Amino acid sequence: MTDTSAHSEMPAKPKRLRDPAFRALIFQILVTVAVAAFFIYIVRNTLHNMESRGISTGFDFLDRSSGFAILQSLVPYSEASTYGRTFIVGLLNTILVSALGIFFATIIGFVVGVLRLSKNWLVNKLAMIYIELFRNIPLLLQILFWYFAIAFNLPSPRQSLSMGDTVFLNNRGMYLPAPQFGEGFWLTAVAIVAAIVGTIFLVRWSRKRFEATGQTFPTLYASLGLLIGLPLIVFLASGSPLHWELPELKGFNFKGGLTVIPELFALTLALSIYTAAFIAETVRSGIQAVSHGQTEAASALGLSHGRTLRLVVIPQAMRVIIPPLTSQYLNLTKNSSLAVAIGYPDLVAVFSGTTLNQTGQAVEIIAITMAVYLTLSLAISMFMNWYNAKMALRER
């Protein structure tokens, strides 16, 4: 006879609706359908309201002439340019102030963060005052301060602050020498790219050589020699195809050279100083996260305090610093939209402001602006995640 006792003792298979995996799938489908229905209703309702009020939809407005001037443009632009060109001008201005802010905030933040751990009482307290002062004052107030209290009160063009008669600062902006490239300058540009690529290969070769033999190579001096020497030799051999256009006072203002408008100057300063206060705390916490035994081991090997900080502490602290540093870069990029408070022509001011008021295409313009900030944030996050992975500790 067949033994059926074992089969009768097995638990019965649950019904379909009592299966947790099946119920989870059903709930996810229902939620997805509900969210999609909600957005479809919002879009249809918005289009219906816009049609009933006679508001046109679509992106045809990007080909129409804008009819207004912009204070600063990195690409050729005039009042006859299209709204599409206006979008590009605003986008480039946003990227410019974000890149400048990230660059200066990183430098200031790292310096102040290291000084915050100084054993010198005065230096330590000054760094602490900087951090507590600037990170607790709203950024908008700082932007207004640097613009109205500082930039507006600089001397007039005739009494400009001068640095070697090449750089001038007044209430209309900062004027710098502008490079004028000759016909053969492309050879120097190629030499610069070749020097950078050669430096990358040199660093990799030096690292592999150290891991294989334990012998060090003066990578820093060799890289500096390659980066400076090769372009300089090519530059001189090609006849020095570069000269500088100096700004000159003509009439009521300076002509020629590069002009940094007061709005860009004040906004970059405010963003850099404000974000640097947060980066400094991130750097301080990252350095303190490194075990003190690492510092003692480096001292036992005879390394100086500077070499210990540069070769032992900072590389290990970077693994702790990079994730919060990414958040600060994202915050700085998004905070650049406060530029509209002082009239800096960024994306929000010229596209979501002037262009929207003139065309009335609110949905399209706001959607484009949101997509731009989302794309910039994702690009910064992807780059910093890649850098974080490169700095991660690899076990062998």
Side-chain angles (χ1 to χ4, degrees):
M1 292 179 62
T2 305
D3 186 10
T4 58
S5 58
H7 296 285
S8 60
E9 294 177 355
M10 293 179 62
K13 188 175 181 179
K15 294 183 178 181
R16 195 67 170 170
L17 290 178
R18 293 185 178 180
D19 186 356
F22 180 75
R23 285 187 299 177
L25 177 64
I26 293 298
F27 285 135
Q28 291 180 45
I29 293 175
L30 292 176
V31 171
T32 303
V33 172
V35 172
F38 173 75
F39 280 104
I40 291 174
Y41 170 76
I42 292 294
V43 171
R44 293 187 61 181
N45 186 55
T46 302
L47 294 175
H48 174 72
N49 291 336
M50 294 175 66
E51 184 179 359
S52 62
R53 295 180 183 179
I55 301 175
S56 60
T57 57
F59 297 93
D60 295 339
F61 72 96
L62 292 174
D63 296 327
R64 299 206 302 265
S65 176
S66 62
F68 65 90
I70 297 179
L71 185 61
Q72 171 185 288
S73 174
L74 298 179
V75 294
Y77 178 85
S78 68
E79 296 180 1
S81 299
T82 62
Y83 287 118
R85 195 76 170 178
T86 303
F87 165 74
I88 295 174
V89 172
L91 174 62
L92 293 178
N93 286 341
T94 294
I95 293 175
L96 173 66
V97 74
S98 300
L100 291 175
I102 288 174
F103 176 76
F104 289 115
T106 303
I107 294 176
I108 299 172
F110 268 79
V111 172
V112 176
V114 173
L115 295 180
R116 183 70 179 85
L117 297 174
S118 173
K119 295 180 180 178
N120 185 298
W121 183 88
L122 180 60
V123 173
N124 185 301
K125 296 306 175 186
L126 287 176
M128 183 192 70
I129 291 172
Y130 170 89
I131 293 170
E132 298 301 331
L133 177 66
F134 287 107
R135 76 172 179 173
N136 289 305
I137 297 177
L139 176 58
L140 181 58
L141 290 181
Q142 295 191 38
I143 293 174
L144 297 177
F145 170 78
W146 290 114
Y147 184 63
F148 290 108
I150 303 298
F152 259 34
N153 289 316
L154 289 173
S156 63
R158 292 190 179 279
Q159 286 79 37
S160 297
L161 302 175
S162 169
M163 185 182 297
D165 289 335
T166 55
V167 178
F168 302 92
L169 181 65
N170 55 55
N171 56 10
R172 296 187 182 180
M174 180 182 290
Y175 298 86
L176 308 167
Q180 302 294 319
F181 303 108
E183 293 184 356
F185 189 79
W186 66 272
L187 292 172
T188 305
V190 172
I192 293 173
V193 174
I196 293 173
V197 174
T199 301
I200 294 173
F201 281 104
L202 178 65
V203 171
R204 290 183 176 180
W205 170 81
S206 173
R207 187 179 302 166
K208 290 181 180 179
R209 180 173 180 264
F210 175 76
E211 292 174 353
T213 65
Q215 297 178 352
T216 59
F217 183 79
T219 310
L220 178 62
Y221 298 110
S223 300
L224 289 176
L226 187 61
L227 289 171
I228 298 174
L230 180 60
L232 182 61
I233 293 173
V234 175
F235 176 74
L236 296 175
S238 58
S240 305
L242 173 67
H243 70 276
W244 296 89
E245 181 188 33
L246 299 177
E248 297 181 15
L249 182 60
K250 296 180 179 178
F252 296 103
N253 203 359
F254 283 87
K255 304 293 182 185
L258 288 176
T259 304
V260 180
I261 59 177
E263 290 80 6
L264 176 60
F265 175 76
L267 183 62
T268 302
L269 197 60
L271 287 174
S272 303
I273 291 176
Y274 177 77
T275 309
F278 292 90
I279 293 178
E281 282 297 89
T282 300
V283 172
R284 180 186 64 82
S285 60
I287 292 175
Q288 288 182 326
V290 178
S291 171
H292 188 60
Q294 297 288 322
T295 307
E296 293 178 339
S299 300
L301 291 174
L303 295 178
S304 64
H305 179 69
R307 288 174 63 85
T308 300
L309 194 64
R310 181 168 60 88
L311 299 176
V312 178
V313 177
I314 294 294
Q316 297 186 73
M318 287 300 292
R319 302 185 183 105
V320 181
I321 292 173
I322 291 174
L325 187 64
T326 304
S327 298
Q328 295 305 324
Y329 288 170
L330 297 177
N331 289 336
L332 188 147
T333 303
K334 290 178 285 188
N335 287 337
S336 67
S337 60
L338 293 174
V340 69
I342 57 174
Y344 175 72
D346 75 326
L347 184 66
V348 175
V350 301
F351 195 64
S352 297
T354 309
T355 301
L356 190 152
N357 289 332
Q358 291 191 358
T359 62
Q361 307 274 149
V363 176
E364 294 84 353
I365 290 176
I366 296 300
I368 293 174
T369 306
M370 292 170 65
V372 166
Y373 279 102
L374 177 63
T375 304
L376 291 177
S377 297
L378 291 177
I380 293 173
S381 296
M382 289 175 63
F383 174 78
M384 293 302 292
N385 287 336
W386 169 81
Y387 183 61
N388 190 31
K390 295 288 289 184
M391 296 296 294
L393 183 64
R394 294 183 176 84
E395 297 182 356
R396 300 179 181 176

